[in-house]
Amino acid sequence: MKAKQNSKIWLYAVMVLITVLTVGPFLITLFMAMKSGSEGIYTSLLPKDPTLANFVTAFEKANFGLYFMNTAIITAIAIPLNLLFCSLAAYPLARMDFRGRSVVLALIISTMMVPFQLYMAPLFQLAGELGLRNTHIGLVVMQVSTAFGIFLMRQAYLRIPKELEESAYLDGANRFKVWYLVVLPLVKPTLVTLAIFTFMGTWGDYLWPLLNSTESSMYTLSIGLAQLSQNFDGSNLKLISAASILTTIPTLLIFIWLQKYFISGATDGAVKG
C-alpha cells in the first residue's frame, strides 16, 4: 500500500514538473508583456502595475493589426480548402480500386520526406510567373492540400464499414452523395484534427510568407515578430513579449475549443492500410 502511494507521489511530481516546464515560459512571457514602462525587466517575476499598454503598442506602432489581419485571412482560406481537397483526394485512395493506387499513395507519402528548402526556389519562380506574389492566394497555396492531410483522411475512411456505403448505393445514391452524406459525417473528428493541424501550420508559417511577400503590407504575424526580434536592443523586450502572446493566443484558444475531437481524430492514423 505504501509503495503504491509512493508511486503516485512520484507520478504527480513528474506531472507537475512537466506542467511547469510547459506552461512556465508562456506565463513568464505574459508577465513580461504586462509590465509597465517604469518597471525593470528583471526586477521581479510578477508585474507590480499590470498594464495592457504593450499590447496596444504592438498593434499600433509595430503594425501587428495589419499582420494579424493578413494571417487571419490566409488561415481562413487555407483551412476549408485543405479539408475539401484532402478529403476528396483521400477517398479514392481508400475506397476505389484502380491500377497503380498503391504507387500513387506511395508517391504522395514520399513527398512528406522532401524538405521545403529543396523546391522553394522553383516554387517562388512559379508564383511570380502566375502573378501570385504579394497576394493572399499566393500565401495559401502551400496549405491548399498536403500529403499529411491526404494520408490522415485515408486512414479515417478505412475505419468506416463498407456496408454503410453499399446500403447507400442500393438506395440510389451516387458516389459523390455517398462520400458527402454518408462517409464525411462519420469522420468529423478527423476533419477537426486536420483543421487544427492546418491552422497551426498556416498561422505559424514563416519561410514561405517571407519568400513570397516582398511588400510589408502582406507580412504575416510570424514575419512581423521576427522583424521585431531582430531590432531587439533590450528596451523593447516587453513589446516583443506582447507580440509573442498575440501570436500564440489564437492557436491556444483553437486547440482548447476543439481538443475533445483531437485525440479521437488523431488515432485514426493508427489504422493499418
Side-chain angles (χ1 to χ4, degrees), residues 2-162:
K2 187 176 181 180
K4 187 176 181 180
Q5 291 179 347
N6 291 335
S7 63
K8 285 187 176 181
I9 292 175
W10 279 107
L11 177 61
Y12 291 148
V14 172
M15 293 174 63
V16 169
L17 178 60
I18 294 176
T19 302
V20 170
L21 293 177
T22 304
V23 183
F26 178 81
L27 293 178
I28 293 174
T29 304
L30 179 61
F31 296 153
M32 184 73 68
M34 297 181 67
K35 289 185 176 182
S36 61
S38 59
E39 291 187 60
I41 298 177
Y42 304 109
T43 55
S44 62
L45 178 62
L46 298 177
K48 297 179 180 179
D49 186 18
T51 177
L52 299 178
N54 293 315
F55 296 95
V56 177
T57 303
F59 262 96
E60 295 179 352
K61 295 184 179 180
N63 211 17
F64 260 67
L66 176 62
Y67 302 157
F68 191 94
M69 182 62 65
N70 286 336
T71 308
I73 292 174
I74 295 168
T75 305
I77 297 174
I79 292 177
L81 289 180
N82 187 272
L83 295 181
L84 175 63
F85 290 123
C86 287
S87 58
L88 281 173
Y91 187 71
L93 294 174
R95 283 294 190 256
M96 299 181 186
D97 293 325
F98 57 90
R99 183 177 299 178
R101 184 178 66 172
S102 59
V103 176
V104 173
L105 179 61
L107 289 175
I108 292 175
I109 295 177
S110 64
T111 60
M112 298 172 62
M113 296 179 286
V114 180
F116 173 68
Q117 290 80 359
L118 291 181
Y119 58 88
M120 65 180 183
L123 188 62
F124 173 77
Q125 182 178 0
L126 180 61
E129 294 175 353
L130 295 177
L132 298 178
R133 201 164 296 162
N134 293 312
T135 63
H136 291 113
I137 297 298
L139 297 178
V140 171
V141 68
M142 291 298 299
Q143 301 292 342
V144 167
S145 181
T146 58
F148 170 78
I150 295 174
F151 175 76
L152 185 66
M153 292 304 303
R154 174 184 176 272
Q155 298 303 100
Y157 291 148
L158 293 177
R159 295 172 60 94
I160 302 174
K162 290 184 177 181

Side-chain angles (χ1 to χ4, degrees), residues 214-233:
T214 57
E215 299 178 1
S216 59
S217 60
M218 291 302 302
Y219 283 175
T220 59
L221 282 174
S222 56
I223 300 177
L225 182 60
Q227 287 192 333
L228 194 62
S229 301
Q230 289 174 358
N231 297 327
F232 174 74
D233 56 6

Side-chain angles (χ1 to χ4, degrees), residues 176-211:
F176 179 80
K177 285 186 177 181
V178 170
W179 168 77
Y180 182 71
L181 298 177
V182 178
V183 177
L184 210 57
L186 296 176
V187 294
K188 182 180 177 181
T190 306
L191 287 172
V192 175
T193 302
L194 181 57
I196 294 175
F197 279 117
T198 305
F199 178 90
M200 294 172 61
T202 307
W203 192 268
D205 192 15
Y206 172 74
L207 185 55
W208 176 243
L210 180 65
L211 289 174

